[in-house]
Amino acid sequence: MSKELLDKVNKRRTFAIISHPDAGKTTITEQLLLFGGVIRSAGTVKARKTGHYATSDWMEIEKQRGISVTSSVMQFEYQGKRINILDTPGHQDFSEDTYRTLMAVDSAVMVIDTAKGIEPQTKKLFKVVKQRGIPIFTFMNKLDRDGRPPLDLIAELEDLLGIEGIAMNWPIGSGQTLKGLYDIANNQVEFYHQDGQDRFVALDENGQLPDSEPLSSDPQFGETLDEITLIKEAGNKFDLAKIAKGEQTPVFFGSALTNFGVETFLKSFVNLAPAPESHQVNGNETLEPDDSEFSGFVFKIQANMNPHHRDRIAFVRIGSGEFKKGLDVTLARTDKPIRLNGATEFMSSERVQVSDAVAGDIVGLYDTGNFQIGDSIYAGKGKIVYPSLPEFTPELFVRVTAKNVMKQKSFHKGMEQLVQEGAIQLYRNYQTDEYILGAVGQLQFEVFKFRMKNEYNSDVEMTSIGHRVARWIKPDQLDPAMANSRNLLVKDRYDQPLFLFENQFAERFFKDKYPDVELTEKL
């Protein structure tokens, strides 16, 4: 393969940011974009009164609520590297979007609130990252507020997540007493509330500040030195091989809100994080990223990113080769040829036409309905199929109808397009054809209702049918007379039949009554 393509691939750094809601994930994304020169000022997601919103929260409901409900993709150049950030929703109701996104990255940044430590959603998402064996970098955030002792936070990584933490820097105080960061990796101190290069002061060969620095005689600095000595002698030893396998995580402290410690983190990250690596395709074949033939997979579909154009974007992670405008590819699912004319990259909320994209990059393809989540596309004669992406079986269900019968066209269009994004599943009653929506969490229904009204001008009425246990049944084993109020019979969007059981007792009763019928959790 050409050295030119390999050089381009090796400059890519593609990662997701994961965290529990409100740990500061979107804020740190903003600061990274700032250093990448993509935006001039960073806004926090909560800044609703000023009308200054986080750049990565482009959807109207995200601006109103101050939360991320969809994965954002942003790209920029930094120190000769091409950075692809995927900012994922922290809210557990949107974890399916996050899980799929984690299939499209080469590493992950885990953001932890220093006051709260490891929270449930962080633990859940970490498990997915760990299963993939990809490198994990940890940013202990909100150091500008009073938090837990840093030694406790490092210990918690091992106790709760089973991963070694290796401190790259160490806080000198926290909250009101925060003075700076002791940068172990670069042998310097980074002072809090100082701008420019003046905020860095080099340490001597013994790790001490010059006597001329007032902080050198501060008791708080003395405490920090004692903790540094302890972690150097008794703590984990830096091991790049362990980091590469996701067994050890470099830990950085800082405050995204005050932009403290973020640049130091970014510089270390681009040097330590991996370039795109090989993928397993076609079951058990290994596909190298610098393979000459282009290939990739769709991990996300998003409708109405531009509300003025009612467009639909399929997000593709390039797994091998190079993308060029007008490229002819084959859609593996249908063997249908497609010419990729319209493709875009994302510089924060701005979009630019793709000029040069290689393995590791994320491109957005304008889609008229060809693509589904999980689709593989490839150029060349040899078929390439990437592994399937995770799917969640819904647990909450609602009946949905249009409030205005005169607006059926926009109602059906909105239903079709939003369901194709994959966050909500669409079912129809087997007998009456009425629409039923299924989701992992309640917030997804609220977002769906909001978007139907604001993006499709269609008010919808939702009636909860509560928690249900979804189980598919083979068509040849189905008798519609099996259905009743406790096991609702519906069709999924592929017209496959399934029962929505009122609870597990109803499911067991059904199995006892029809012992030869096979029920499955997924198709």
Side-chain angles (χ1 to χ4, degrees), residues 51-311:
H52 190 195
Y53 309 109
T55 310
S56 57
D57 287 339
W58 53 267
M59 198 185 288
E60 191 60 36
I61 191 168
E62 295 182 307
K63 294 175 181 178
Q64 289 190 14
R65 281 176 172 253
I67 57 167
S68 299
V69 296
T70 182
S71 298
S72 304
V73 179
M74 289 144 290
Q75 293 152 325
F76 63 88
E77 305 279 336
Y78 184 77
Q79 292 195 337
K81 301 288 195 300
R82 177 66 179 270
I83 315 296
N84 295 288
I85 305 179
L86 285 79
D87 174 27
T88 62
H91 199 288
Q92 65 179 9
D93 285 6
F94 294 87
S95 48
E96 189 167 4
D97 192 25
T98 301
Y99 276 49
R100 293 193 192 114
T101 297
L102 291 174
M103 301 297 118
V105 299
D106 303 305
S107 59
V109 172
M110 180 166 61
V111 181
I112 293 172
D113 184 331
T114 54
K116 296 174 182 174
I118 296 163
E119 298 175 86
Q121 186 65 3
T122 313
K123 198 173 175 181
K124 198 173 174 184
L125 294 170
F126 171 85
K127 194 175 173 185
V128 183
V129 176
K130 184 81 171 169
Q131 282 170 349
R132 288 205 56 215
I134 61 175
I136 302 159
F137 297 80
T138 301
F139 189 83
M140 297 287 185
N141 194 23
K142 303 192 180 180
L143 206 56
D144 55 309
R145 303 178 189 178
D146 291 329
R148 291 169 51 188
L151 284 169
D152 288 1
L153 292 165
I154 295 276
E156 194 175 52
L157 288 171
E158 202 149 341
D159 294 343
L160 283 185
L161 303 182
I163 190 170
E164 292 180 2
I166 179 79
M168 305 299 283
N169 60 18
W170 204 254
I172 306 167
S174 70
Q176 297 293 317
T177 65
L178 181 60
K179 303 286 196 327
L181 286 167
Y182 189 105
D183 190 338
I184 301 166
N186 298 302
N187 203 41
Q188 62 186 10
V189 164
E190 182 175 354
F191 284 97
Y192 189 48
H193 281 327
Q194 281 185 222
D195 295 326
Q197 292 306 305
D198 291 345
R199 71 183 188 277
F200 297 106
V201 174
L203 298 162
D204 65 21
E205 57 195 20
N206 299 315
Q208 296 281 352
L209 275 169
D211 292 339
S212 57
E213 287 292 338
L215 185 62
S216 64
S217 56
D218 190 311
Q220 202 164 40
F221 186 65
E223 286 176 25
T224 301
L225 287 177
D226 290 342
E227 290 178 342
I228 296 289
T229 302
L230 179 65
I231 60 173
K232 281 184 176 177
E233 290 178 0
N236 300 309
K237 301 293 180 256
F238 183 87
D239 188 330
L240 202 52
K242 281 187 172 182
I243 292 169
K245 289 187 281 190
E247 295 171 2
Q248 187 181 87
T249 176
V251 179
F252 301 81
F253 288 83
S255 165
L257 190 64
T258 60
N259 198 4
F260 179 59
V262 180
E263 187 176 19
T264 305
F265 159 73
L266 181 58
K267 282 179 179 175
S268 293
F269 174 80
V270 295
N271 290 321
L272 294 173
E277 295 179 343
S278 60
H279 280 87
Q280 291 296 112
V281 296
N282 301 341
N284 57 2
E285 296 173 25
T286 300
L287 179 68
E288 297 298 335
D290 59 332
D291 189 287
S292 60
E293 295 291 6
F294 167 88
S295 72
F297 61 93
V298 178
F299 66 93
K300 175 183 174 62
I301 290 174
Q302 187 72 54
N304 303 329
M305 286 193 71
N306 185 339
H308 302 297
H309 294 109
R310 289 284 177 266
D311 59 356

